[in-house]
Amino acid sequence: MFAKKTVLITGASSGLGKAMAEHFLAKGANVVINGRTASKLEKFLAEHPADKDRIALAPGDISLKTTSDNMARVAMEKFGTIDVLINNAGIFVPKPFLDETEENLDRYYASGVKGPYFASQAVIPTMIKQGGGSIINIGSMWVEHPLEATPSSASQVAKGGMHTLTRHLAIEFAKDNIRVNTIAPGVIETPLYDELMDKEAFRALANLHPLRKLGKISDIVAWADMLAGEGSRFVTGQTLLVDGGITAGNHVI
């Protein structure tokens, strides 16, 4: 299904981004992976020696326009096509509003708004020439449904910008057959949360979800697969909430 297609993924050196890169590689796609740390991207390449000809590295800070421009250039030079962009790079650290800092707000804005904005700007001209493409933004359930247990205004102001960007790009480039959608996860078991809290506290977050369980990386990868392929050819401008039911209603008394 994805043979000879090229998928660009930001924040692909670990966690969800790495899992998506491995998934599309296994489906036959070429993958261009971005991350801040070049050595982590090189490790990914070393872990997949049989597929090295279908992997290209584009290290750098995705909030810088030059990084996005380079990622698109690498894709075209090595594979000659850009079919899917997944704006995955981002950070999330719950913190009360009154404790937030200007530095943190700038960091969130850089990764959550400037990153996807410039990356999309870098790939859309090629997608127009090719007759279409798919852009998938990894947003957040917290944009739509704040939780007192996890105050995160700074990160969600930025993610909200990404959700808005999704709708604007979807409308502006629908005529060019470019589909733009957001996946908004609930709490997903990723290495990120290992850094934020102990495992017992993390697993207690399962009870926030009406389904009483945490999401898995594979849940998000499955939706990315769908949005990247022909199965979603009539879907654009949508925010798909993969959140265990949190935004459907409050189950906690």
Side-chain angles (χ1 to χ4, degrees), residues 8 23 28 38 49 58 67 75 79-81 93 98 118 134 140 182 205 209 220 231 233-234 240:
L8 284 60
H23 172 82
T67 299
F79 304 121
T81 181
V93 180
L98 295 178
F118 290 139
S134 176
S140 171
T182 290
L205 293 177
H209 304 74
I220 308 304
R233 57 178 292 277
F234 202 52
L240 302 170

Side-chain angles (χ1 to χ4, degrees), residues 194-239:
D194 291 340
E195 301 171 8
L196 295 179
M197 60 185 71
D198 63 61
K199 290 186 180 296
E200 184 177 345
F202 174 56
R203 296 199 177 277
L205 293 177
N207 291 325
L208 291 173
H209 304 74
L211 289 178
R212 269 68 166 187
K213 58 186 175 185
L214 298 169
K216 294 185 178 298
I217 286 178
S218 59
D219 297 322
I220 308 304
V221 171
W223 280 99
D225 181 286
M226 192 269 294
L227 291 174
E230 286 300 307
S232 62
R233 57 178 292 277
F234 202 52
V235 179
T236 195
Q238 299 304 303
T239 295

